[in-house]
Amino acid sequence: MTALWVSGLIRRRGGRLALTAIGVALCVMMLASLGSFFAASMRTMTERAVSSVAVDWQVQAKSAAVVPAAMRALRADPENAQAL
């Protein structure tokens, strides 16, 4: 019974059925591309946002005895720009 209905549908409204199938395929493709775009954007969003921002660390030593050792360690680090 279903096969008879489908064959009649294809014979009488084949063009309309094909255009409907193409429209559904295009909508699914667009949703899939939007999903992949959002996933890729979320992966790199934080990295791009902080890439141009300089990190400023402020550290307070607990005792005055560790300040000279901490300053030596900070100044010896090649990634450190400035230690006051």
Side-chain angles (χ1 to χ4, degrees), residues 10-62:
I10 291 172
R11 269 186 311 205
R12 293 183 187 219
R13 295 188 178 142
R16 183 179 287 179
L17 187 63
L19 290 175
T20 302
I22 290 171
V24 169
L26 287 174
C27 287
V28 169
M29 187 175 60
M30 186 174 67
L31 287 174
S33 66
L34 277 173
S36 64
F37 169 74
F38 288 143
S41 293
M42 288 175 64
R43 276 195 303 261
T44 61
M45 190 180 307
T46 304
E47 182 180 327
R48 286 183 290 151
V50 299
S51 66
S52 63
V53 178
V55 178
D56 183 16
W57 288 88
Q58 296 180 5
V59 180
Q60 182 177 1
K62 287 192 173 192

